[in-house]
Amino acid sequence: MAADQFACTAAVVEETPDAVVVSNLGVASYVLAEVAPRKRNFYLWGSMGSTTATGVGVAHGTDEQVTVLTGDGSLTMSLGVLSTVATADQSNLTVVCFDNGIYGTTGGQPTTSVDFAAAAEAQGVPATRVEADTAFTAAYADAVDRDGPSLIECTVEPTDPEARPTFDFPHIPRRVCESLTE
Amino acid sequence: MSWEAEIVDGLIDAEIDLVTQLPDGAMGTVLEGIQDADVDTLLVEREESAVAAASGAWVTGERAAVMCQSSGLANAINAIGSLSVPARLPFLALVTRRGNLGEFNIAQVPAGYGLPAMMDEMGVRHTVVSGPGSLRKTVRMAAESAFSTRTPYVIFLNATVTGYGQEAQ
C-alpha cells in the first residue's frame, strides 16, 4: 500500500497555505511545482542531504509554519540531521519524508530500506508512518498542531513529474524572503 | 581586549541573529560570549547542516554565522557549492584553521592548509587572520560584505590567533 505524492503534497498546501515549504531537489520539488506553484516554495536545486537543515534555518527566523518535503535518499544521506531537529525544538517545523524506495532523480536505482520514523524517535523527534492519502492528511494536521517538531514518513509510489521550478535559483529564496517580509 | 572578545563584539556589531556551530575547544570562550550576549546559537550534527541552516535563515531576513573547524568546513563543501553560492544565500563563517603553523597532526593538513585555495576555486571570498588585532573590525566588515552582496564570506583563524596543542612541542 502506498500514498500518492501529488495528493499528499497538495494536502500540505491546503492544510497550511501560508507555510514555507522547503523541497528536496528532484522529485519533491517537481511535484510541488506541479501541484502548487507559489511564492513560499523554497525549491532546492542541489545540496542533497541538506534540505531538512535548510528548513531548520528557515524555521528559526519566522513564526510561520515551515514544512520540509524530503525524500528517502536525501534523508538517508543525512539521517543525523534529525538530532538537530530535536535540538532546535521548533514548534513550527514539520518534516515529511516521501519514501518512494528509489533514487528518483538519478535513474530510479533502489534505496536502502530505512525505518525513518524509528530513526526520528530515537533522536527525539516524534514520528508517524503512513501509507495512504487520508492517513497522511490526518497525520499532517496532527503534526502541525503539535507544539514541537515532528516527522511523517510517507510511503509513496514512484512518480515522474513533468513540471520544473524555475532554473533561476537565486530568484527562489529571494521570492520566499519577499513573501515573508513584505 | 582578548581575541575572543573581539570576535563576539564583531558579531554583535554585525547584528548576527543566529550562530550555527559544532563544538571547538578553541572557540569555547567565543561561544560563551555569544550566548551571554543573547545571540541565538544552534548546535548541529554536522557542518553541512550548519551551512544549510545559516543559509535558510536568510530568507526570513535573519543574518547567520557558522562557527566550525577547518575539517568541518571541508564537510560542508557541497552545501556551500550547490546551495549557498548558486542560490545566493549569504552567511558569515568563522573557521579555526588547522594544518598550518604549529600543526602536529598530518590528518589536519590537506584540508586545513588547502581550504583557502578551495574557497578560491569555488568563488567564495575569505580572509586568513594570523594576528588578533582588529578582529572586531574584520568580523563586522566580513559580515557586511557577505550580506550586502548575498554571498558567503569565510574568516579563517590561524593557530597564531587561537593557540595550538602542546602535542606539537
Side-chain angles (χ1 to χ4, degrees):
Chain A
M1 191 170 177
D4 178 79
Q5 190 165 343
F6 288 90
C8 295
T9 301
V12 165
V13 176
E14 184 171 343
E15 175 70 22
T16 51
D18 295 327
V20 177
V21 180
V22 185
S23 55
N24 193 53
L25 78 164
V27 174
S29 283
Y30 303 163
V31 171
L32 180 62
E34 190 154 318
V35 303
R38 51 201 278 283
K39 291 181 179 178
R40 293 191 178 183
N41 291 350
F42 191 169
Y43 310 105
L44 301 191
W45 271 113
S47 59
M48 185 171 176
S50 293
T51 315
T52 302
T54 303
V56 170
V58 177
H60 181 268
T62 181
D63 292 329
E64 297 280 10
Q65 168 71 23
V66 177
T67 299
V68 172
L69 304 180
T70 190
D72 51 325
S74 185
L75 191 54
T76 298
M77 191 174 279
S78 57
L79 203 53
V81 74
L82 297 172
S83 71
T84 296
V85 171
T87 300
D89 194 23
Q90 296 157 322
S91 62
N92 59 337
L93 181 69
T94 303
V95 180
V96 176
C97 177
F98 288 124
D99 187 350
N100 60 9
I102 60 170
Y103 291 101
T105 315
T106 59
Q109 302 89 344
T111 52
T112 55
S113 179
V114 175
D115 186 337
F116 295 103
E121 295 273 2
Q123 295 177 71
V125 179
T128 308
R129 185 183 304 105
V130 296
E131 299 177 334
D133 299 353
T134 51
F136 175 83
T137 301
Y140 184 69
D142 288 346
V144 170
D145 285 344
R146 184 174 296 130
D147 185 20
S150 46
L151 176 136
I152 302 170
E153 177 184 353
C154 182
T155 304
V156 293
E157 293 285 355
T159 185
D160 187 17
E162 293 184 3
R164 297 289 183 271
T166 174
F167 294 121
D168 185 352
F169 199 3
H171 177 68
I172 294 169
R174 174 138 201 167
R175 189 172 55 185
V176 176
C177 183
E178 289 172 350
S179 174
L180 286 173
T181 57
E182 65 189 8
Chain B
M1 181 180 285
S2 69
W3 65 270
E4 293 100 331
E6 292 258 355
I7 289 176
V8 173
D9 286 349
L11 292 170
I12 293 168
D13 291 346
E15 299 180 341
I16 296 296
D17 300 292
L18 169 68
V19 176
T20 60
Q21 56 90 26
L22 268 87
D24 179 354
M27 297 291 273
T29 302
V30 174
L31 183 61
E32 290 175 8
I34 293 167
Q35 291 169 335
D36 288 345
D38 286 333
V39 177
D40 288 349
T41 61
L42 175 63
L43 172 66
V44 298
E45 90 291 352
R46 181 178 164 86
E47 295 81 357
E48 200 170 17
S49 289
V51 166
S55 298
W58 181 84
V59 305
T60 68
E62 288 198 328
R63 294 174 158 212
V66 173
M67 280 194 347
C68 65
Q69 300 182 34
S70 47
S71 54
L73 194 68
N75 277 343
I77 290 287
N78 189 52
I80 297 170
S82 71
L83 176 65
S84 311
V85 171
R88 296 194 62 188
L89 294 164
F91 63 87
L92 171 69
L94 291 163
V95 179
T96 49
R97 184 187 180 210
R98 299 282 300 267
N100 199 359
L101 293 171
E103 183 58 65
F104 63 92
N105 184 353
I106 188 64
Q108 293 285 351
V109 172
Y113 190 78
L115 267 166
M118 294 181 214
M119 292 296 106
D120 282 336
E121 289 292 327
M122 296 172 70
V124 176
R125 290 176 301 153
H126 58 85
T127 190
V128 179
V129 178
S130 296
S134 73
L135 246 180
R136 176 177 183 171
K137 186 177 179 182
T138 298
V139 170
R140 178 176 58 78
M141 292 179 73
E144 291 300 336
S145 191
F147 296 106
S148 296
T149 62
R150 284 185 66 190
T151 56
Y153 196 104
V154 179
I155 297 174
F156 289 104
L157 301 167
N158 269 343
T160 47
V161 176
T162 61
Y164 63 102
Q166 295 302 305
E167 295 93 332
Q169 299 173 3

